[in-house]
Amino acid sequence: MHKQSYDIVIVGAGVGGICAALAAARLRRSVLLLEEMEEIGGTGVHSAVSLICSFRDKNGRPINNGIHRELFPQAYTESKGLFEADETVPTYDEKQLKDAYADLLRKEPRIAVRTGSRVTGVAAESGRIVSVRVETNGGETYEADGSVFLDATADGNLSALAGAEFELGREGDGKMQTATVTFKMIGFDPALLHKPDVTTWSGIRSLREELTTYYKQLKEEGGTRNSRPSVLCFPYPDGKGILFNSTAVTDVDPTNAASVAAGMKEGVEQAQQLASAIKRHPAFAAAEVEYIAPKLGVREGRRIVGDYVLTADDCLSGRAFDDMVAACAYSIDIHDPLGGGAMLVKIGGSGYYHIPYRSLIAKGWSNLLLSSRCISGTHEAHSSYRVMSGVSAIGEAAGTAAALAVWAKADDVRDVPAAQIRYVLQAGGQFVEGDVEKATLR
Ligand SMILES: Cc1cc2nc3c(=O)[nH]c(=O)nc-3n(C[C@H](O)[C@H](O)[C@H](O)COP(=O)(O)OP(=O)(O)OC[C@H]3O[C@@H](n4cnc5c(N)ncnc54)[C@H](O)[C@@H]3O)c2cc1C
């Protein structure tokens, strides 16, 4: 089996992996970015989620100013994040996001992007990953080695292959949030809606109410197994399409391929049922489903146990940490594992909390960093930082830490001071709080 060597190996090319790769390459380290799908983008592209979730404190100040801003510039100019009735709903188009990722990655020759490349094994010694085994869709198998490995698989697949400790599901019954197949409808007639401008918060809320009437009819007729109480949807930025984030599949185990496949089948059926109910609304009579997301949207998977486990209390109290390397302002948002609606609880204090470096370090491992929603936290905390504003900041911090570890020839990622990570993040424009310490790259 042949071998390929890089400074940093990142597994998973969703928002966390891509932001990590960009951050590390901008610090002039070589990066291998592995993605098992044929295309990069992860959940935000292939499960199209639409909303650019809140990244502002309670006064409207952005607490994520890093690569997230390069990916979603419109959210920094068009919206104040206050959810006022006439304010534009900050959303994105998944095709444009995929292009934005590709453009940013193309500018970094130090990043080798390999799609159709699945990591299927890990060689490790004494709490240190030595290499990963990569199997390509073309039938090739090779080993990739590096100094630091980043788990950007969302579900903690790399860490689990290495044998790292993890948790799955909520305390008590181990259940996870519902999964969703999203879909897009176009060709509706806004003139037939109570509020034609669906790009504003008042417009989209009004549309949801109108459509919920038809959805409830469908439920009363026994026409769907979807257990959501109401319709959840978002406008595309051009106002011509609507993204429905409104199917609910219970009991999907993302660590089991058969469970994911069955969940996808159920989600597609629910999407078709919901679309047929929506077409009963006169404004949607001529509308059509333009797109059903090709990948089941899985909200929750393994949470790798790190040096610190972030809790709901940390999030809700707006806790500050000495080793902060990222921040998140999004509410705790749990889509009921039993299939009801979503429970949203706002972040207290100044409206955001710190994510400590220790939550990005897999416990007992010296060169394994967590760079996606699989960081170390409880079920409740995960429901907050899992959104793209949180994960992009996590990825950027993890990629920066990895590059600094390589520059310093550190045996353990713990030897990189959080203040140095903050120094580099701040130099790149990212929001940080706490002391900074100059990092020397030589
Ligand atoms: C239905 C739904 C609605 C949501 N709504 C919103 C929303 O409105 N706004 C928002 O900001 N967030 C939303 N989220 C959350 C958010 O989209 C995700 O949590 C976030 O995008 C996850 O990013 P990630 O980088 O952690 O993982 P992902 O984007 O999932 O990327 C992980 C990547 O790793 C790859 N991978 C996994 N295993 C391997 C392996 N062994 N080898 C190689 N590659 C591998 C996967 O193929 C995938 O591409 C929603 C999520 C869902 C499911």
Side-chain angles (χ1 to χ4, degrees), residues 20 93 100 125 133 150 191 196 201 232 314-315 320 381-382 420 434:
D93 181 312
E125 272 168 24
R133 184 179 63 238
L150 269 60
W201 280 113
L232 181 64
D314 294 333
C315 303
H382 168 279
Q420 286 194 8

Side-chain angles (χ1 to χ4, degrees), residues 11-17 34-37 41-44 49 51 53 117-119 152-154 157 180 182 245 295 297-299 372-373 386-389 391:
V11 186
V15 70
L34 296 163
E35 169 53 52
E36 67 181 358
M37 290 186 74
T43 301
V49 305
L51 184 67
C53 288
S117 300
R118 181 181 169 82
V119 169
T153 63
N157 295 334
T180 292
T182 56
N245 176 352
K295 189 176 179 189
V298 172
R299 290 190 174 80
S372 56
R373 63 166 161 75
R386 72 187 169 93
V387 295
M388 286 192 286
S389 52
V391 176

Side-chain angles (χ1 to χ4, degrees), residues 20-47:
L22 292 169
R26 289 173 184 180
L27 293 175
R28 307 194 306 283
R29 298 298 81 197
S30 66
V31 177
L32 176 62
L33 179 61
L34 296 163
E35 169 53 52
E36 67 181 358
M37 290 186 74
E38 288 293 351
E39 291 184 326
I40 60 164
T43 301
V45 169
H46 304 293
S47 310

Side-chain angles (χ1 to χ4, degrees), residues 92-294:
Y92 71 93
D93 181 312
E94 63 281 355
K95 292 192 205 82
Q96 285 166 8
L97 178 60
K98 196 170 85 177
D99 289 348
Y101 285 147
D103 286 348
L104 289 173
L105 288 169
R106 211 173 293 122
K107 286 185 194 146
E108 299 298 339
R110 287 187 177 85
I111 305 175
V113 182
R114 300 276 159 73
T115 54
S117 300
R118 181 181 169 82
V119 169
T120 56
V122 170
E125 272 168 24
S126 316
R128 194 171 180 81
I129 296 184
V130 178
S131 64
V132 293
R133 184 179 63 238
V134 183
E135 292 183 30
T136 72
N137 289 350
E140 193 195 353
T141 302
Y142 62 92
E143 264 179 59
D145 65 25
S147 301
V148 184
F149 291 79
L150 269 60
D151 190 338
T153 63
D155 293 325
N157 295 334
L158 171 66
S159 308
L161 283 170
E165 189 182 337
F166 64 83
E167 288 177 341
L168 196 59
R170 66 185 177 186
E171 222 175 289
D173 60 10
K175 287 198 178 284
M176 284 171 269
Q177 296 196 52
T178 48
T180 292
V181 171
T182 56
F183 65 95
K184 176 183 182 182
M185 290 186 83
I186 55 165
F188 60 95
D189 183 353
L192 298 177
L193 297 175
H194 293 323
K195 294 199 174 181
D197 186 359
V198 293
T199 64
T200 62
W201 280 113
S202 67
I204 198 68
R205 286 181 189 133
S206 168
L207 175 64
R208 289 173 188 168
E209 272 176 35
E210 287 192 57
L211 296 180
T212 294
T213 306
Y214 296 92
Y215 170 59
K216 282 190 172 157
Q217 267 177 18
L218 175 78
K219 280 170 77 88
E220 277 158 23
E221 293 159 6
T224 185
R225 284 177 297 275
N226 188 344
S227 51
R228 275 192 62 88
S230 57
V231 171
L232 181 64
C233 59
F234 297 96
Y236 272 76
D238 65 5
K240 293 188 176 140
I242 303 290
L243 195 277
F244 289 89
N245 176 352
S246 210
T247 60
V249 187
T250 53
D251 295 318
V252 173
D253 176 357
T255 67
N256 175 330
S259 173
V260 174
M264 182 69 191
K265 187 166 174 289
E266 168 64 16
V268 170
E269 276 174 30
Q270 289 186 15
Q272 288 161 341
Q273 291 155 353
L274 178 58
S276 70
I278 286 165
K279 280 171 74 66
R280 295 179 193 174
H281 188 302
F284 282 77
E288 57 187 79
V289 175
E290 190 198 52
Y291 160 95
I292 295 185

